[in-house]
Amino acid sequence: MKQLYLVANWKSNKTVEEAQNWILQLKFSKKSDNLTIILCAPYTILAVLKYAIGQSQLPISLGAQTVSSFPNGAYTGEISAQMLKGLVEHVIIGHSERRKYFNENDTMLFEKTGQAKLANMKIIYCVENWNMFIPPGVSKIAYEPVTAIGSGKAEDPNTAEDVCRRLKEKHRGIPILYGGSVTSENIVMFLKQPSIDGALVGGASLDALQFAHLVDAVSSYE
Ligand code: PGA
């Protein structure tokens, strides 16, 4: 049985109250032992989520959605990796929305990866094809074709497998995730692919019921 990863990416969504309700409403029937669940949430609700997850004893680790390329210091408004210590174990770096709307380039992403590594964070590094630059030391790679993100049109699982296989060959030993319009209906078709070890889920992770269905779908898949 391969180790599987289900990573939720809430993007710019949810108030403190909405996050608390999501935790209270999240009821999946079972979580298989080979499944790791990671919730990447906005900075503003990480502390609340950490507390709520502890209270509800949920098997969920927390992640941030980006991190500063700078260390602690005079960088007004930035959240450094060191500031996230004790709050999150994971961080997404290189998401296509960060590249597109915030002009994050390879140099900046390399710096961010360096800062995250110094804080012992596990990095989920996003790419849009198999040939993109990936800094050393990342923990997981997420292949997310831009046309599939948020479009409701997931990539064909065989096409995704082709890209993920190339990524796996190039970056040996690193789990490869697929992301882009993943739902509880299509997730198993992706996990069945030999080179896909999990999914990065945006839209379908926002609703607790839908996310519970995702956990159940992954857990009942052998
Ligand atoms: P989506 O987003 O599941 O809403 O397509 C995935 C992502 O951008 O991580």
Side-chain angles (χ1 to χ4, degrees):
M1 240 199 294
K2 63 182 174 185
Q3 183 61 41
L4 299 174
Y5 303 89
L6 183 55
V7 183
N9 175 13
W10 279 359
K11 309 189 180 184
S12 284
N13 290 290
K14 292 203 191 290
T15 61
V16 166
E17 197 183 343
E18 286 165 348
Q20 284 167 323
N21 286 337
W22 189 93
I23 293 290
L24 292 175
Q25 287 162 7
L26 184 69
K27 306 237 180 310
F28 42 85
S29 335
K30 61 167 184 169
K31 185 197 82 67
S32 56
D33 291 342
N34 62 328
L35 171 63
T36 301
I37 306 174
I38 300 167
L39 169 56
C40 298
Y43 295 138
T44 45
I45 49 179
L46 286 173
V48 160
L49 281 171
K50 189 178 157 74
Y51 180 77
I53 286 168
Q55 289 287 303
S56 301
Q57 299 192 316
L58 286 168
I60 298 181
S61 314
L62 279 175
Q65 300 171 0
T66 182
V67 71
S68 178
S69 53
F70 293 94
N72 280 349
Y75 306 102
T76 302
E78 283 291 273
I79 305 290
S80 72
Q82 299 298 325
M83 290 160 68
L84 292 168
K85 271 190 170 173
L87 265 185
V88 302
E89 278 176 65
H90 309 266
V91 62
I92 296 174
I93 293 180
H95 193 282
S96 62
E97 288 153 13
R98 303 285 325 166
R99 295 177 193 260
K100 181 177 170 192
Y101 299 117
F102 305 98
N103 300 320
E104 295 190 358
N105 58 27
D106 287 348
T107 312
M108 212 186 281
L109 297 173
F110 179 82
E111 297 295 330
K112 285 174 183 252
T113 302
Q115 289 299 323
K117 282 199 296 190
L118 282 175
N120 291 321
M121 293 163 88
K122 292 184 188 148
I123 297 151
I124 303 159
Y125 199 87
C126 299
V127 292
E128 295 152 36
N129 64 54
W130 67 273
N131 213 7
M132 282 171 88
F133 167 74
I134 299 180
V138 308
S139 304
K140 293 166 198 66
I141 295 168
Y143 163 56
E144 296 206 305
V146 275
T147 51
I149 296 177
S151 65
K153 290 192 178 79
E155 189 161 65
D156 175 81
N158 294 312
T159 313
E161 164 62 17
D162 276 352
V163 178
C164 292
R165 184 176 34 80
R166 283 167 184 258
L167 282 166
K168 226 178 183 48
E169 282 165 8
K170 209 170 160 201
H171 306 276
R172 292 201 179 274
I174 301 181
I176 312 290
L177 319 183
Y178 165 79
S181 297
V182 171
T183 63
S184 55
E185 276 95 59
N186 65 20
I187 191 164
V188 169
M189 293 194 303
F190 288 100
L191 300 183
K192 275 188 182 157
Q193 306 298 324
S195 309
I196 300 180
D197 304 296
L200 180 52
V201 186
S205 72
L206 288 171
D207 179 72
L209 201 68
Q210 274 192 57
F211 193 69
H213 285 154
L214 275 161
V215 176
D216 284 337
V218 178
S219 298
S220 49
Y221 152 73
E222 294 300 327

